[in-house]
Every structure is written in structure tokens, then in C-alpha cells.
Amino acid sequence: MGSPDVSSATILYGRHREQLIRLAYSIVGNSNLAEEIVQDAFLHFSTGKIPEDIKSPIAYLRAMVRNLSIETVRKIIRENRTYELYSEDLRDELSGQAELNPEIIFLWRSEFEAFHLALRGLPVATQEAVKLYLVEELNFRQIAERMQVSVGKAHSLVTDGISACEQKLREIRQ
């Protein structure tokens, strides 16, 4: 099949769009996100190389939507988990307050975004080590095994990464 011609891909998309959105929605639970996933799948489908032995283009497109939906849910879970782990410290700071007002929520989100921005600015190995530590909750020995470095190097990568992110947060707070 190769890459389908644009007109046949568009016709296929038009005929099955609602069904594909329902499929994505059943996995991600958000209609806007489901629509975005279906559009991404269509773009990949219409512009990408499709294996020659595909017998049913719609089945292939459904599989793409399903896989993108699952990948999106996993990404959201990872991000939420990171957010929850990081925000425990902030919640401790705010525990004396009766409720979280919009200003506090804004500050909380701003700090979280700054943390991620700082993390993205670090070397790839440091980013990976920090994510393994915070998101996957691996200890230094497990990080060292995963990254094929010494335990000391794993410890250094994590502590340097977290220190750099904390420094970025201190700069924002001033």
C-alpha cells in the first residue's frame, strides 16, 4: 500500500472520524484530547509510510488511534505522578492553610512548570536520572544499572539535576 493518496485517506477519515473519536475517548476520557489523537493518527496515516501488506486501512487507522490513546494516557499518568511527587514538598509548606486558593494553585503550577523547564535544560543523562528517581522511584543502584554507570555517578546525576532545578525555582521566587 505504501502511503495512501490524500483523497482516499481523507475519504476514509471522513467516514470513520466519529467512530475513531469515540474509540480514543473511551481510552482517554477527554473529548478534546480524543479529537487531537485522531487528527494525529490521520496525519501519520496520510503522510507516513504504511506497510505494503495492510489489508484493511481502517483497521490500521483504528490501531494507530488505540496505540496513540494508550501512549497519551501513559504520558499523563507519568506527568501526574511526577507532579504529585514534586508537589508533596509544596503541600507540606502549605499545610497550615485551610484551602488552596487560585493564587496558590497558580504558584504551584508555575513552580512545577519551572521545574520541568529547568529539567529540560539539563544534559540528557541528568534528565534521565532525575526522571528515573522521581517518576519511576528507582534507587541509585537501580538507576546505575539502568543507565550502565556507577552508583556514585547515578547519585551525582540525580543530586546535580535536582539541585539545578531547585536553583531555577529559587530564581523564580525572587
Side-chain angles (χ1 to χ4, degrees):
M1 175 178 214
S3 183
D5 67 68
V6 176
S7 63
S8 64
T10 304
I11 291 168
L12 183 70
Y13 174 76
R15 285 185 185 156
H16 299 280
R17 181 177 168 274
E18 291 301 320
Q19 176 190 23
L20 295 169
I21 290 172
R22 282 193 305 272
L23 171 63
Y25 180 81
S26 73
I27 296 170
V28 299
N30 179 297
S31 58
N32 292 330
L33 198 52
E35 178 122 11
E36 190 175 314
I37 288 167
V38 170
Q39 289 172 1
D40 285 347
F42 171 71
L43 285 174
H44 290 301
F45 178 78
S46 64
T47 61
K49 292 293 182 192
I50 307 299
E52 294 293 329
D53 60 345
I54 297 299
K55 292 183 173 103
S56 173
I58 187 58
Y60 188 81
L61 192 53
R62 277 190 206 113
M64 288 177 72
V65 168
R66 179 185 171 280
N67 292 340
L68 284 172
S69 298
I70 291 169
E71 182 181 316
T72 300
V73 168
R74 286 181 180 152
K75 180 181 177 194
I76 290 168
I77 289 169
R78 278 193 308 272
E79 288 174 355
N80 285 343
R81 199 162 166 218
T82 301
Y83 185 73
E84 288 170 10
L85 289 171
Y86 170 72
S87 65
E88 285 176 14
D89 292 337
L90 188 58
R91 270 188 257 145
D92 290 344
E93 289 177 27
L94 301 173
S95 62
Q97 300 189 18
E99 63 180 359
L100 297 178
N101 64 41
E103 291 176 358
I104 291 173
I105 292 170
F106 173 78
L107 290 173
W108 193 352
R109 286 185 178 151
S110 296
E111 286 194 10
F112 181 69
E113 290 170 3
F115 179 84
H116 275 282
L117 180 64
L119 186 62
R120 284 190 297 259
L122 298 174
V124 175
T126 306
Q127 288 181 41
E128 182 181 354
V130 171
K131 287 176 185 176
L132 291 171
Y133 184 76
L134 293 176
V135 178
E136 294 191 32
E137 299 178 317
L138 300 181
N139 61 37
F140 296 122
R141 179 171 285 121
Q142 293 167 322
I143 293 169
E145 290 172 8
R146 177 89 58 96
M147 295 182 69
Q148 298 179 340
V149 297
S150 68
V151 174
K153 180 67 174 175
H155 180 270
S156 174
L157 288 169
V158 170
T159 56
D160 290 350
I162 291 174
S163 294
C165 292
E166 288 174 343
Q167 177 61 35
K168 180 74 170 176
L169 290 175
R170 280 191 292 277
E171 290 171 13
I172 289 173
R173 288 177 184 155
Q174 293 178 350

